[in-house]
Amino acid sequence: MGDSLFEGLGEARVTPRKGRDALLTQANLVTLARVALVPAFIVALLGETTGARWVAAVLWVVLSASDGLDGFLARKEGTTDAGAFLDPIADKILILAALVALAADERAPLPAVVVIMARELAISAFRSIAAARGVAVRATLLAKAKTASQMLAVFLALVLVGSGSRGWVDASMWFAAALSVVSGADYMWRAGRYFAGNQP
């Protein structure tokens, strides 16, 4: 019994030009650059001036858009094991760093942030366990929608300032939290089916 969400490590749908175990592909370099920009983004986010916060918003748009760029490059070059591992980890670093900073600055509802963090850490642990068993876990459409909702929620928290806008920010955060829970449950359900049907 199979599931297209899962595949054995090293089983590429497109053969990478530099080999399945390559690290320094264009896609992976973009992913690493995204992570390297996180400290600058956090400094701007926590800045007290309007200018600093708009710099944070612009950086966030760049970081969010570059997620699509590394995906495009990966499809063009061929996927690698390193890319399959690094890309979702980079997304989680970006999202969690932004959410923690926003919650600390009281610009995002802490309970929603905790729900999102718990989901992301749980799925990261699941990916690590699956990788140890020689299985790569691909992102589902639901998971991609979840990531998009989180990125939008962070963007709204960055640009909507003032008590009259807080309701929109909170609503977007809770929507992202709900979608995070649903997509996480979907992963677990699929995983149960996959591993139950692939016992040695």
Side-chain angles (χ1 to χ4, degrees):
M1 180 182 193
D3 191 317
S4 60
L5 174 64
F6 304 94
E7 65 173 14
L9 290 175
E11 296 175 4
R13 294 180 180 177
V14 179
T15 302
R17 296 174 185 173
K18 298 184 179 180
R20 184 67 176 172
D21 59 350
L23 175 61
L24 297 180
T25 63
Q26 292 181 32
N28 292 347
L29 289 174
V30 170
T31 299
L32 294 172
R34 295 173 68 215
V35 175
L37 281 173
V38 170
F41 165 72
I42 296 300
V43 169
L45 185 157
L46 295 176
E48 297 183 358
T49 66
T50 301
R53 293 187 176 186
W54 278 106
V55 168
V58 170
L59 279 175
W60 185 251
V61 170
V62 171
L63 290 169
S64 299
S66 63
D67 183 37
L69 175 60
D70 61 19
F72 168 78
L73 290 172
R75 289 188 296 272
K76 181 180 178 182
E77 295 180 314
T79 58
T80 64
D81 289 339
F85 178 77
L86 287 173
D87 185 56
I89 294 298
D91 288 341
K92 287 172 174 51
I93 291 174
L94 295 175
I95 291 292
L96 295 183
L99 290 176
V100 168
L102 287 169
D105 204 32
E106 299 184 345
R107 294 159 64 186
L110 181 59
V113 170
V114 170
V115 169
I116 294 172
M117 288 182 64
R119 184 272 185 198
E120 299 300 338
L121 293 175
I123 295 301
S124 292
F126 164 64
R127 284 179 180 275
S128 297
I129 293 171
R133 298 180 64 172
V135 177
V137 182
R138 294 188 174 279
T140 63
L141 289 177
L142 187 58
K144 291 177 180 179
K146 174 270 305 179
T147 300
S149 72
Q150 292 174 349
M151 289 180 171
L152 176 61
V154 171
F155 178 74
L156 292 178
L158 292 171
V159 300
L160 297 181
V161 180
S163 57
S165 303
R166 184 56 189 263
W168 289 102
V169 173
D170 288 359
S172 68
M173 287 288 176
W174 278 111
F175 176 77
L179 203 51
S180 297
V181 172
V182 171
S183 65
D186 178 60
Y187 269 125
M188 294 298 101
W189 177 71
R190 288 170 179 261
R193 290 179 58 199
Y194 177 83
F195 288 114
N198 288 273
Q199 294 293 335

